[in-house]
Amino acid sequence: MSLPDVINHQDLLLSLNTNEEKVVKDALPGVDIYPLFLDVENGTWVLRAKFKPGVTLPKHFHTGVVHFYTLSGCWNYLEYPDQPQVAGSYLYEPGGSIHTFHCPEDSEGADGFMVVSGANINFDEDGNLMNIMDAGWIEQVVIAAAQSQGLVPRYFKPGGLAKLSTD
């Protein structure tokens, strides 16, 4: 057996180092974001996010799976107060799950890396639909916040608009 032909030749690795990239501060209220990979067509978003102490995100329903690795700090879901996520915790969230992210007020906040497929359907405190947070929504929010801070965020954005392979 021989090696396959190279389909996508690379002269260098596709890599970002968040220690060298500019963080987009308050991309969401109380959340600083390093966008890493935003694939609008396939609905995949990869972020490093820093959550400030006391941040509570809206209750949300996942249409796809989430992989979340906590790098530092502490957070929990309000629905699972006895299961805090701390540095080194890996959380798998199946599609169809619903919960409310929270960083305790008396914590240092939290820093995490996430890979999300699909969307978060966000609800207000009364259970009313607030918005749908998917890769396209995240991209728009991050770009707007970055521009207001004089930044141009760097992240991987695969492909392009759908088209026939013969175009």
Side-chain angles (χ1 to χ4, degrees):
M1 179 171 203
S2 62
L3 291 174
D5 291 334
V6 174
I7 295 171
N8 289 318
H9 178 76
Q10 289 180 246
D11 291 327
L12 47 102
L13 293 176
L14 302 175
S15 177
L16 289 170
N17 183 334
T18 57
N19 294 320
E20 297 171 358
E21 297 296 322
K22 301 283 188 198
V23 67
V24 180
K25 295 199 178 282
D26 289 308
L28 298 172
V31 184
D32 300 340
I33 293 178
Y34 295 94
L36 300 171
F37 179 91
L38 300 173
D39 185 347
V40 174
E41 286 188 5
N42 290 301
T44 302
W45 32 299
V46 180
L47 309 170
R48 178 179 175 191
K50 294 186 173 191
F51 303 91
K52 295 181 176 128
V55 165
T56 300
L57 299 179
K59 181 176 280 194
H60 56 277
F61 172 87
H62 289 283
T63 65
V65 301
V66 176
H67 302 271
F68 191 108
Y69 183 79
T70 303
L71 298 165
S72 67
C74 177
W75 65 275
N76 64 278
Y77 286 127
L78 293 180
E79 296 80 6
Y80 306 94
D82 297 333
Q83 296 180 28
Q85 301 298 297
V86 297
S89 297
Y90 163 72
L91 177 68
Y92 171 74
E93 302 173 21
S97 60
I98 188 166
H99 37 246
T100 311
F101 180 99
H102 175 70
C103 266
E105 199 61 56
D106 61 353
S107 74
E108 65 184 73
D111 185 358
F113 170 80
M114 68 188 77
V115 178
V116 182
S117 297
N120 287 6
I121 312 299
N122 293 326
F123 299 93
D124 67 16
E125 292 175 2
D126 297 322
N128 299 307
L129 176 67
M130 287 178 55
N131 59 30
I132 298 173
M133 183 186 329
D134 63 5
W137 189 90
I138 291 284
E139 184 175 43
Q140 290 174 1
V141 166
V142 165
I143 288 172
Q147 286 176 343
S148 74
Q149 296 166 38
L151 302 174
V152 177
R154 291 179 357 122
Y155 56 91
F156 295 108
K157 183 178 174 78
L161 296 177
K163 62 180 180 177
L164 292 173
S165 60
T166 56
D167 287 348

